């Protein structure tokens, strides 16, 4: 099943520095750079460090009416306001271009946040640890325009489905009748820390809760590492 994942990017083989224009990425002019992983200097990751910056690239499309799974790892160093997810827009730049949207906001940086229709829903307060990698699986139903969220890392030694008061299904930010075909990352204002992301994969054929390839370092999950502040 892990073989159904298709790599969007793991940033290996790219040059440190500005991501814009490398392997099909389009970004804001500054603020999205490649750097060494703070947990493993031999690994390369993407750092989003400027307010209101964005990055987007092509992903294997999840067809309208179909379902699929977006996987990535994310990390925060301090207070962040950043989200990653999927869009049907050819060149997404704006917040409303998100359909599937997951990350954290500056008001409660140690809490995961998911866009749930017209509002944000807080999930697992205190569980998005600082200086720790978290694996994320976003399972999108592009027929019902909703998605589920699974994480592993930080306090979660095992994969955990996130929910809000027992509701584990989030609505797309906006409904769509098109394929989800772009990976989209955007950073908001009021951040003082850096948001890192790596190992972006997609399975456009359905729900897939495996870890793709398993070729990232064993320490990459950072289970029990980091701290909740």
């Amino acid at each position: 099943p892990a073989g159904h994942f298709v790599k969007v990017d793991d940033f290996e083989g790219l040059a440190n520095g500005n991501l814009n224009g490398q392997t099909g990425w389009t970004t804001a002019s500054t603020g999205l750079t490649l750097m060494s992983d703070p947990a493993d200097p031999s690994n390369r990751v993407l750092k989003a460090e400027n307010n209101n910056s964005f990055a987007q690239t092509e992903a294997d499309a999840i067809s309208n009416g179909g379902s699929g799974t977006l996987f990535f790892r994310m990390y925060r160093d301090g207070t962040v306001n950043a989200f990653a997810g999927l869009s049907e827009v050819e060149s997404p730049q704006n917040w409303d271009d998100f359909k599937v949207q997951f990350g954290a906001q500056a008001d409660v940086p140690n809490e995961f946040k998911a866009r749930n229709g017209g509002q944000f829903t807080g999930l697992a307060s205190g569980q998005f640890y600082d200086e720790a990698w978290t694996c994320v699986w976003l399972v999108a139903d592009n027929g019902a325009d909703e998605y589920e969220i699974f994480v592993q890392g930080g306090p979660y030694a095992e994969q955990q489905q996130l929910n809000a008061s027992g509701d584990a299904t989030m609505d797309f930010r906006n409904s769509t009748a098109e394929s989800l075909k772009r990976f989209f990352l955007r950073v908001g204002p009021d951040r003082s820390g850096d948001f890192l992301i790596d190992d972006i994969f997609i399975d456009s054929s359905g729900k897939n809760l495996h870890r793709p390839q398993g070729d990232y370092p064993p320490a990459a999950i950072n289970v029990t590492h980091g701290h909740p502040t």
Side-chain angles (χ1 to χ4, degrees):
H4 294 161
F5 275 114
V6 174
K7 183 172 68 176
V8 177
D9 216 331
D10 62 5
F11 309 113
E12 299 308 306
L14 303 184
N16 280 349
N18 195 340
L19 175 66
N20 194 39
Q22 295 201 61
T23 62
W25 284 90
T26 299
T27 77
S29 58
T30 60
L32 279 299
T33 58
L34 296 174
M35 59 170 280
S36 295
D37 183 346
D40 177 10
S42 68
N43 184 44
R44 185 171 285 111
V45 301
L46 175 61
K47 176 173 70 171
E49 57 183 334
N50 281 10
N51 290 345
N52 299 312
S53 57
F54 70 88
Q56 57 93 3
T57 193
E58 183 179 5
D60 228 29
I62 300 174
S63 63
N64 182 44
S67 62
T69 305
L70 174 66
F71 173 90
F72 56 87
R73 298 191 301 122
M74 67 182 195
Y75 176 109
R76 70 177 179 92
D77 179 5
T79 298
V80 299
N81 186 0
F83 290 85
L86 294 169
S87 177
E88 89 289 14
V89 177
E90 189 63 40
S91 299
Q93 298 185 22
N94 302 311
W95 292 110
D96 276 347
D97 293 337
F98 274 113
K99 296 300 169 281
V100 176
Q101 180 181 351
F102 179 74
Q105 289 182 311
D107 58 342
V108 191
N110 62 5
E111 178 180 65
F112 297 112
K113 288 285 184 69
R115 187 71 182 202
N116 188 7
Q119 63 186 6
F120 287 101
T121 295
L123 302 164
S125 181
Q127 305 308 299
F128 184 16
Y129 277 18
D130 192 56
E131 300 179 343
W133 283 103
T134 299
C135 294
V136 178
W137 294 258
L138 303 179
V139 182
D141 183 335
N142 200 20
D145 290 348
E146 59 189 26
Y147 65 107
E148 298 174 289
I149 304 159
F150 299 81
V151 298
Q152 185 179 7
Y156 299 119
E158 303 296 331
Q159 189 181 75
Q160 175 76 32
Q161 184 172 15
L162 300 184
N163 68 82
S165 302
D167 186 0
T169 302
M170 305 291 126
D171 292 330
F172 284 6
R173 181 171 181 134
N174 301 292
S175 62
T176 182
E178 299 182 42
S179 297
L180 302 175
K181 57 181 178 289
R182 308 297 289 189
F183 173 81
F184 184 35
L185 166 68
R186 186 168 171 82
V187 180
D190 303 323
R191 50 144 296 281
S192 58
D194 295 328
F195 181 79
L196 310 183
I197 197 163
D198 195 17
D199 297 316
I200 307 164
F201 288 79
I202 193 163
D203 183 343
S204 61
S205 68
K207 187 174 187 175
N208 187 342
L209 299 182
H210 292 78
R211 292 203 301 272
Q213 295 188 2
D215 59 357
Y216 39 81
I221 299 175
N222 279 159
V223 172
T224 72
H225 294 190
H227 47 90
T229 55

